[in-house]
Amino acid sequence: MRVHAAVYARGLHRHSTYRAALVAGALTNSVFGAINAMVLLAVFAARPRISGYDAGDAVTQVFVGQALIAVTLIVNTAPSLDLAERVRTGDVATDLLRPVSLLGWWLAQDLGRATFTFFFRGVPTFCVGLLLFDVVLPGGPVHAVLVLASFALAAVVGFALRYLYSLSGFWLLDTRGLWTVAGLVGPVVSGMLLPLALFPSVLADVLRLLPWASMVQIPAEILLGKDTLPGGSVFGALLLQAAWAAALLALGAWATGRATRKVVIQGG
Amino acid sequence: MTTREPATESPTEPAAGAAAAPIIEAVGLGRDFVLTEGPFLRRTRRTVSAVQDVSFTVRTGEIVGYLGPNGAGKSSTMKMLTGILTPTAGSVRVAGMEPSRQRTRLAREIGVVFGQRTTLWWDLPLRDSLTLTRHLYRVPAAAHAERLAELTELLELEPFLGTPVRQLSLGQRMRGDLTAALLHAPRLLVLDEPTIGLDVVSKSTIREFLLKINRERGTTILITTHDLGDVERLCDRVMVIDKGRLAFDGGLPELRATVPTPRVLVVDLVAPAPAIEVEGATTVRVDGPRQWLELADNPARVIAEVAREHEVADLTLREPDIEGVVSALYRGTVPAGDRT
Amino acid sequence: MADGNTPPGGPARAAAAVLRPVRDYRRLAWIWVRAVAQYPVSLALMSLAVAVSVLAQVGAVVIVFGHAGTLAGFTVYEGLMVFGLAASAFGIADMFMGAVERLGRHIRSGSLDAMLVRPVSPLVQVAADEFSPRRLGKVVPALAVLGIALAGTDVEWTLGRALLLPLMMLSGVLICCAIWVATGCLQFFVADAREAANSLTYGGQALTEYPIAIYGREIVRSVTYVVPLAFVSWQPALLVLDRPDPLGMPEALRFAGPVIAVLACAGAALLWRFGLRHYRSTGS
């Protein structure tokens, strides 16, 4: 556990050196957020309520999505975990032989990165939304804690998916195509491009249950206190996120075991 | 200390010994950089001179070594000669052109190789990279085919022409880079550390190749290097730059004579021992049973005394090598704390 | 374009000077196409993935118009026309000039220096670097959407309109190219500018995919007179539909695209030269 804390701190610290990139990133997220929000405001001006959403809900979800972009790295079409490069070059063989688990090490490091970017890129982006639009805030301290918990689970799900994409390099010759597809499809099915509430309701209900929704749609609905949440409550929604996080991490651990055996047997 | 001769006006004249036409003429060349440092809002600006008042002439057909410690101004000079960097003082003419203003035209006359990074396309097979170079330099297909065939043979490129550049070994890549730099038959070849990181065989291949194209085609070569083997094998003349200023310009024998460097006696003892103490010599290095002694006195007397006091397995006397000379030159001009 | 010291000569020489960068670009791009074509399956899958994501965006447009009915007086087909114009212009510009956004990488790795010692404009070399036909995956569906939208819209086709539409589309492409180059130039001055530049390039695309009147007068004014994004999809759409400007801006603007495009390209070229001069005087 001490090792993981150190790795987490390192991930946190390493990203604190890219200050200009943080400002640039927050600017980009804010611009995209503003454009999306204005399109949705035009839609809700024509029809004030769509599947339980009003204009404020939609705008809030847009900025939740933009604030979490750098946390979950859901829109990246290029490999966004350094592990992918280590698998490609074969350097990962030495990592696998370390006494610390590969999954735990990368999870700790990526959560360190996610924590840093959340506070120094996500929060400023959300604040821009707050300044320009009628964005909804948590109703009280308890609600705020639940929202933050949901964001944290979003970060874990985001990591677990990227960990699996990275490990696929053990079996695929070239993973760039996979990363591209993930980066293009992720934003659509997660509720980033448009709130799922605007989708046809059957499609929306299915997409809500998939892991991608746990990175934008579910956290946004927890903040908005919607009754469309899986299980009808905040706790049901958090449970769904936690279940996805656990399932994907378990899959990651299993894949790591397979990969280790492959490396040991084939010598890398 | 610099040899500066009056410029003659016939840049196309072929190589003809020491009296050949100049291909590079630098007069009072200088380059300042403005550095901004410190935290945001309290930033201070400070001007640093990377190159100061450097003047030299390189004649067609010469092979000139350009030496100096890291950060001495070698790269900045090279960049000014090739037109990548604009000088802040003085002037330079290369192949009769002003590099910073006629960069594109000059590019056809010179070939440039950066040893630390390739100018080839990382993901393309070497052959495609070379074809691309042909298009960029507008070399007629027939001339290209002929030169490529010649270079392929000289540098033994055939086995890896179809391999993507990123998969080439360092030595193969350097041979590819040299080929790319020579396909348009440049009059001047500018090499920035061409043998860095190479094994002995690759180094030797490249040195022999450079000598050959210099002799047979009259290609002028300006080479920066940290490898003094390159200098001893290739260069008739060396220039040493230190802290932005030209500290030496002349032949190798003159360079040796500039700095008095002691001969070194290498002593192999039968067993490891503490540093030998003997009058007329200083022990500068101990490595197991082997010790290095710098001689300030008659070698015969020192050898006799060492043999009397210690159980000696072998003795060798080394003449001062160019490496020692150059480092002594740096030592003489650079305060000890500034060197890395 | 590189040094401005073209040797004196007749009009034939001048024409050659203009066409040279184009020929250089074509040759560089062709080598990359050949290299990529060695992995046809990978290329096809990547193109397909890009195409699917364009279709997803089309789906989003349809959903948005489905809920709203009309936006800024535009029906869903008219909205798709705006989307098709914006996506095709940005897609084509991305294909030819998008690589300029990797300028910072070339500066850091030193490959820009290698480009500077070759007798070809470094802008051409940077832009053609890693040229990939994969981006057709974006352009082809965008053009298809435009075609479908034009067929589904009640356009009163006149000869003038039929001729002006391609001209306006070309202008849109050139404006997008200029934006790409101009924002790429920022990396001459600020190393981490790439992502900030994306807010203008990809952000510009996102903005122009909808009838821009929905963003209000201030934004429409600034994307008309400051960053000329309005001429990529909005003004051409007004021209084709022969519709008065909902915000009452001058109607002559819809014919201004080509002039704006030339000005934008000239501005971008100047910025590039300025940036390159800065680079060559700092070496960083």
Side-chain angles (χ1 to χ4, degrees):
Chain A
M1 234 19 234
R2 293 231 336 249
V3 177
H4 291 121
V7 173
Y8 174 84
R10 204 179 77 171
L12 204 103
H13 182 75
R14 206 171 74 181
H15 283 266
S16 65
T17 50
Y18 305 123
R19 263 177 295 185
L22 278 177
V23 175
L27 173 74
T28 308
N29 293 151
S30 304
V31 168
F32 275 86
I35 293 171
N36 279 348
M38 285 187 288
V39 171
L40 288 171
L41 284 179
V43 174
F44 281 90
R47 242 183 101 189
R49 247 189 137 68
I50 301 169
S51 326
Y53 264 55
D54 63 17
D57 295 342
V59 170
T60 304
Q61 171 153 351
V62 164
F63 278 92
V64 167
Q66 292 295 331
L68 290 179
I69 272 189
V71 173
T72 58
L73 297 175
I74 195 174
V75 299
N76 287 47
T77 50
S80 55
L81 195 65
D82 292 343
L83 174 63
E85 179 64 12
R86 292 187 71 77
V87 172
R88 197 179 69 81
T89 57
D91 291 346
V92 72
T94 52
D95 301 355
L96 282 172
L97 302 174
R98 265 196 229 132
V100 190
S101 93
L102 189 75
L103 178 67
W105 201 85
W106 284 96
L107 176 63
Q109 166 154 319
D110 196 57
L111 288 184
R113 180 202 60 76
T115 310
F116 188 84
T117 46
F118 175 72
F119 284 106
F120 291 95
R121 181 169 158 180
V123 171
T125 302
F126 199 80
C127 289
V128 171
L130 212 54
L131 277 174
L132 297 178
F133 302 96
D134 287 328
V135 169
V136 177
L137 285 174
V142 178
H143 190 193
V145 169
L146 293 174
V147 169
L148 283 178
S150 170
F151 286 0
L153 286 168
V156 177
V157 172
F159 162 77
L161 283 172
R162 288 181 299 122
Y163 183 81
L164 287 170
Y165 302 153
S166 304
L167 283 200
S168 72
F170 278 106
W171 295 276
L172 298 178
L173 271 178
D174 186 3
T175 62
R176 275 181 304 181
L178 180 65
W179 284 99
T180 307
V181 173
L184 293 173
V185 175
V188 181
V189 296
S190 63
M192 172 92 85
L193 180 69
L194 273 186
L196 295 185
L198 271 66
F199 282 35
S201 63
V202 181
L203 184 59
D205 288 341
V206 173
L207 290 179
R208 264 198 192 85
L209 297 176
L210 296 182
W212 289 275
S214 288
M215 292 188 283
V216 180
Q217 184 68 32
I218 305 287
E221 289 188 6
I222 287 179
L223 173 58
L224 297 168
K226 290 290 165 195
D227 53 11
T228 42
L229 282 171
S233 74
V234 169
F235 294 102
L238 284 174
L239 204 64
L240 176 75
Q241 280 187 292
W244 271 123
L248 291 170
L249 287 179
L251 190 60
W254 176 77
T256 310
R258 294 292 299 256
T260 312
R261 240 175 300 159
K262 195 168 144 69
V263 168
V264 172
I265 293 167
Q266 300 178 355
Chain B
M1 216 187 249
T2 57
T3 54
R4 209 187 302 172
E5 278 141 298
T8 51
E9 285 297 330
S10 56
T12 48
E13 202 177 284
I23 193 161
I24 306 177
E25 295 172 88
V27 179
L29 195 59
R31 175 70 231 188
D32 294 341
F33 290 109
V34 177
L35 296 183
T36 49
E37 43 192 31
F40 191 65
L41 293 178
R42 283 193 300 153
R43 240 166 232 183
T44 50
R45 290 157 77 82
R46 155 172 95 88
T47 306
V48 178
S49 293
V51 176
Q52 284 178 69
D53 195 25
V54 166
S55 302
F56 62 86
T57 301
V58 173
R59 295 180 177 283
T60 301
E62 278 191 290
I63 303 185
V64 178
Y66 194 45
L67 315 181
N70 288 332
K74 279 186 312 220
S75 302
S76 295
T77 314
M78 290 300 205
K79 284 183 175 178
M80 287 191 279
L81 295 183
T82 50
I84 297 172
L85 191 63
T86 322
T88 43
S91 71
V92 60
R93 289 189 85 74
V94 178
M97 283 176 260
E98 193 183 329
S100 65
R101 300 192 49 197
Q102 295 167 287
R103 193 191 76 241
T104 315
R105 266 173 69 199
L106 177 63
R108 296 176 186 285
E109 304 290 335
I110 61 174
V112 184
V113 175
F114 302 104
Q116 314 243 35
R117 48 181 193 250
T118 184
T119 56
L120 303 168
W121 286 264
W122 210 239
D123 292 311
L124 294 183
L126 179 58
R127 193 192 306 275
D128 285 0
S129 263
L130 297 175
T131 310
L132 205 48
T133 308
R134 164 173 108 71
H135 290 311
L136 292 177
Y137 285 86
R138 298 172 183 279
V139 180
H144 174 82
E146 190 183 316
R147 283 176 207 151
L148 181 58
E150 189 191 343
L151 290 163
T152 302
E153 198 190 318
L154 281 174
L155 287 168
E156 295 165 28
L157 305 177
E158 194 59 51
F160 52 88
L161 269 177
T163 313
V165 171
R166 70 183 125 78
Q167 291 171 16
L168 297 182
S169 74
L170 210 53
Q172 291 172 331
R173 210 200 73 198
M174 181 47 60
R175 277 137 75 191
D177 264 308
L178 276 171
T179 307
L182 286 166
L183 278 172
H184 60 288
R187 294 157 60 193
L188 170 68
L189 189 56
V190 176
L191 306 170
D192 193 6
E193 310 214 10
T195 57
I196 193 161
L198 299 190
D199 60 78
V200 184
V201 179
S202 300
K203 274 183 187 173
S204 148
T205 311
I206 283 171
R207 286 173 192 158
E208 296 316 310
F209 170 76
L210 292 174
L211 280 175
K212 197 171 162 72
I213 60 156
N214 172 257
R215 269 200 311 268
E216 293 179 3
R217 295 192 186 179
T219 309
T220 313
I221 299 176
L222 180 64
I223 175 171
T224 77
T225 182
H226 281 292
D227 187 319
L228 294 145
D230 291 346
V231 177
E232 292 190 316
R233 183 75 189 98
L234 294 172
C235 305
D236 333 304
R237 174 179 158 202
V238 290
M239 299 191 292
V240 180
I241 188 170
D242 189 31
K243 291 172 88 183
R245 291 179 181 278
L246 212 51
F248 176 84
D249 183 352
L252 273 182
E254 291 93 312
L255 179 59
R256 281 211 176 87
T258 312
V259 191
T261 40
R263 285 187 283 187
V264 173
L265 180 68
V266 183
V267 181
D268 282 314
L269 299 174
V270 175
I276 297 169
E277 282 179 37
V278 57
E279 206 181 317
T282 333
T283 306
V284 289
R285 198 176 148 204
V286 178
D287 182 8
R290 179 172 284 194
Q291 305 207 358
W292 285 259
L293 283 73
E294 278 185 6
L295 301 174
D297 206 350
N298 179 2
R301 197 189 57 74
V302 175
I303 290 171
E305 194 160 325
V306 169
R308 194 167 58 237
E309 300 287 322
H310 303 271
E311 210 174 331
V312 175
D314 195 11
L315 281 168
T316 0
L317 189 62
R318 283 198 192 155
E319 290 299 314
D321 60 1
I322 190 71
E323 191 155 2
V325 174
V326 170
S327 66
L329 192 66
Y330 298 163
R331 255 204 303 277
T333 48
V334 188
D338 274 8
R339 270 176 294 122
T340 46
Chain C
M1 192 157 236
D3 275 322
N5 51 19
T6 35
R13 270 264 175 80
V18 174
L19 285 176
R20 248 197 77 166
V22 178
R23 289 224 313 266
D24 287 334
Y25 188 102
R26 217 183 49 209
R27 289 191 166 120
L28 284 162
W30 180 239
I31 296 274
W32 285 107
V33 170
R34 272 204 345 212
V36 174
Q38 290 174 357
Y39 307 97
V41 177
S42 171
L43 174 64
L45 286 177
M46 294 278 244
S47 308
L48 196 68
V50 176
V52 167
S53 86
V54 174
L55 293 180
Q57 288 167 351
V58 173
V61 173
V62 171
I63 288 175
V64 161
F65 276 91
H67 287 300
T70 62
L71 283 179
F74 279 54
T75 65
V76 62
Y77 274 113
E78 291 160 356
L80 283 174
M81 182 171 111
V82 171
F83 175 90
L85 285 166
S88 58
F90 270 95
I92 294 171
D94 186 6
M95 180 154 80
F96 289 111
M97 284 289 156
V100 178
E101 76 168 359
R102 291 195 298 269
L103 177 66
R105 210 171 77 187
H106 292 298
I107 291 175
R108 280 189 296 277
S109 74
S111 50
L112 186 64
D113 285 350
M115 291 175 184
L116 283 168
V117 297
R118 296 194 192 109
V120 171
S121 156
L123 178 57
V124 168
Q125 295 183 63
V126 171
D129 184 56
E130 292 185 23
F131 180 89
S132 171
R134 176 179 84 230
R135 300 200 181 92
L136 283 174
K138 191 164 163 186
V139 175
V140 171
L143 287 173
V145 168
L146 179 61
I148 292 167
L150 284 173
T153 331
D154 218 3
V155 179
E156 227 180 281
W157 286 108
T158 63
L159 181 64
R161 236 166 254 158
L163 290 176
L164 279 176
L165 178 64
L167 181 64
M168 294 305 163
M169 286 172 68
L170 177 66
S171 306
V173 169
L174 290 176
I175 289 169
C176 295
C177 286
I179 289 172
W180 231 290
V181 171
T183 53
C185 287
L186 288 177
Q187 297 178 34
F188 277 124
F189 306 94
V190 187
D192 287 321
R194 179 173 171 170
E195 194 157 15
N198 281 352
S199 60
L200 262 176
T201 51
Y202 294 105
Q205 180 181 347
L207 189 90
T208 51
E209 280 172 358
Y210 287 91
I212 56 171
I214 62 171
Y215 303 117
R217 188 176 299 272
E218 294 314 311
I219 289 179
V220 172
R221 271 175 195 278
S222 53
V223 297
T224 304
Y225 300 116
V226 186
V227 185
L229 288 164
F231 301 92
V232 174
S233 61
W234 174 240
Q235 294 292 352
L238 291 179
L239 174 73
V240 169
L241 296 170
D242 193 22
R243 190 162 298 181
D245 191 312
L247 298 173
M249 309 243 308
E251 300 227 340
L253 282 175
R254 63 191 58 178
F255 300 102
V259 178
I260 302 289
V262 169
L263 288 176
C265 288
L270 278 176
L271 252 173
W272 173 265
R273 296 185 65 151
F274 180 66
L276 195 62
R277 185 173 309 157
H278 173 82
Y279 174 78
R280 291 174 60 202
S281 66
T282 57
S284 59

